[in-house]
Amino acid sequence: MLEIPGRRFAERRRCEPNADGNCPSPRSPHVLNDASLDELRCEWRRLYRSEPPRISRDLLIRGVGYRLQEIQHGGLGKSTRRKLKTLAKMFRTEGRVAPDPGLSLKPGARLVREWHGRTHTVTVTEDGFDYAGISYPSLTMVAKKITGARWSGPRFFGLVRVGSPRPSNRGDHG
């Protein structure tokens, strides 16, 4: 049996670690389809430094391929990680995830709102929102700073989700 810190594996024939205790060199994602199940499990251990889950060969290929791409390209951006954390929190608290994950604002976008005769400009950043030289994690916090009251940040700045009806300013009701 092959000894790996804290674990024992019966896959000695196909998963010989190199001098530093890791499995052999990485594969490119397009070669993974030709890998055996044992080779995929070995690659999972090398890349994730944990036991592979008991999932189908197809899912192992996808997991290993994703990790290889993540290493090569640097992983997810901060805004994507933030959105995933928000969705995970929604799932934990509500038991489901809404079909519309919310607004998607790109870093660099500027939001402008006039409030009590003063123009307020907010810039979208990778980490949240910049207002008056201060970084805020949410538009709602910016709206509270401006108004002193609790507002929905997206509503305060006039942002409407795709598919939502836009308010009419014409004054007619029918």
Side-chain angles (χ1 to χ4, degrees):
M1 299 248 174
L2 175 64
E3 289 289 332
I4 299 206
R7 315 234 183 215
R8 295 176 61 130
F9 302 109
E11 299 163 348
R12 182 182 174 120
R13 292 177 305 253
R14 295 192 180 157
C15 184
E16 288 291 333
N18 53 26
D20 62 2
N22 292 323
C23 290
S25 64
R27 297 181 173 273
S28 59
H30 64 320
V31 178
L32 293 174
N33 286 330
D34 297 333
S36 71
L37 188 57
D38 288 338
E39 289 170 326
L40 289 168
R41 289 176 178 151
C42 184
E43 192 69 358
W44 182 284
R45 287 184 197 100
R46 188 184 71 75
L47 293 169
Y48 288 99
R49 300 192 188 284
S50 70
E51 271 301 295
R54 295 202 178 273
I55 56 177
S56 70
R57 183 177 178 281
D58 182 57
L59 289 177
L60 276 175
I61 289 171
R62 291 170 190 264
V64 168
Y66 174 82
R67 183 68 179 127
L68 288 171
Q69 289 178 357
E70 184 179 42
I71 291 167
Q72 183 177 3
H73 298 289
L76 298 173
K78 289 180 183 179
S79 62
T80 303
R81 285 195 310 265
R82 185 174 64 239
K83 187 170 280 192
L84 287 171
K85 284 180 184 178
T86 300
L87 292 172
K89 183 178 178 183
M90 181 186 300
F91 182 75
R92 280 192 307 272
T93 58
E94 300 176 19
R96 65 180 194 87
V97 176
D100 178 7
L103 300 168
S104 179
L105 299 172
K106 296 187 183 205
R110 291 171 40 134
L111 307 173
V112 180
R113 168 71 196 261
E114 185 176 327
W115 179 257
H116 291 299
R118 183 169 167 226
T119 301
H120 301 272
T121 303
V122 174
T123 304
V124 179
T125 65
E126 283 287 331
D127 297 323
F129 304 91
D130 183 70
Y131 170 67
I134 300 173
S135 182
Y136 294 88
S138 72
L139 270 179
T140 299
M141 291 181 76
V142 176
K144 184 173 184 178
K145 175 71 175 171
I146 293 170
T147 66
R150 291 187 62 133
W151 274 77
S152 159
R155 179 172 288 184
F156 178 79
F157 284 96
L159 301 173
V160 181
R161 294 182 180 193
V162 176
S164 296
R166 290 191 166 270
S168 173
N169 292 333
R170 294 180 297 176
D172 57 27
H173 299 291

